[in-house]
């Protein structure tokens, strides 16, 4: 499980760097190229900074601190997934974009829940 979590942290870092370096590309990859504005690019960079911090925080931590980082990442991923689901229900974001991003964050949330479950089975 730890290798998978490290890979996920690497994915956060990659996505964060991409968001910071090329926010327009990030907007297009999200399927929202028709909504590319300076404000959206700013928000993408905010997201990128957060993703980068979560990934680096996890990878640069000792095992005990990683337990806390896993929980922080899970909270972020659950919030992002809930927000995506709300947009899907409201229909105010193109369906394909909302569904893709919600599935993406939902995958991270599911991984976090599996890690939390596995952690409960291991002796400390």
């Amino acid at each position: 499980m730890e290798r998978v979590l490290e890979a996920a942290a690497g994915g956060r870092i990659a996505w964060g760097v991409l968001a910071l370096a090329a926010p327009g590309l990030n907007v297009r990859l999200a399927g929202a190229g028709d909504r590319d504005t300076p404000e959206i690019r700013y928000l993408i960079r905010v997201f990128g900074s957060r993703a980068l911090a979560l990934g680096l925080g996890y990878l640069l931590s000792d095992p005990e601190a990683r337990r806390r980082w896993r929980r922080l990442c899970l909270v972020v991923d659950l919030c992002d997934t809930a927000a995506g689901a709300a947009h899907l229900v409201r229909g105010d974001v193109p369906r394909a974009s909302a569904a893709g991003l919600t599935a993406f964050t939902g995958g991270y949330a599911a991984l976090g829940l599996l890690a939390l479950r596995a952690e409960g089975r291991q002796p400390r």
Side-chain angles (χ1 to χ4, degrees):
M1 178 60 80
E2 187 56 33
R3 295 278 185 233
V4 173
L5 293 170
E6 288 172 353
R12 290 181 196 276
I13 292 166
W15 195 272
V17 168
L18 178 65
L20 289 168
L25 175 60
N26 204 291
V27 171
R28 286 190 301 279
L29 290 172
D34 61 330
R35 297 176 180 210
D36 191 358
T37 65
E39 295 85 2
I40 294 295
R41 287 180 181 224
Y42 168 69
L43 290 173
I44 291 294
R45 284 189 171 109
V46 168
F47 164 77
S49 298
R50 182 186 75 172
L52 184 62
L54 290 171
L56 287 173
Y58 186 80
L59 290 179
L60 297 175
S61 293
D62 60 56
E64 186 60 29
R66 281 186 175 194
R67 290 182 70 247
R68 288 187 292 277
W69 279 104
R70 280 193 294 274
R71 285 162 175 73
L72 289 170
C73 290
L74 178 58
V75 168
V76 168
D77 296 332
L78 289 171
C79 289
D80 290 348
T81 303
H87 285 288
L88 273 170
V89 169
R90 284 195 306 263
D92 59 354
V93 172
R95 189 160 190 78
S97 297
L101 292 170
T102 302
F104 186 78
T105 61
Y108 270 89
L111 178 61
L113 290 169
L114 287 172
L116 192 62
R117 183 174 177 215
E119 185 181 296
R121 295 182 187 158
Q122 296 174 353
R124 287 191 179 188

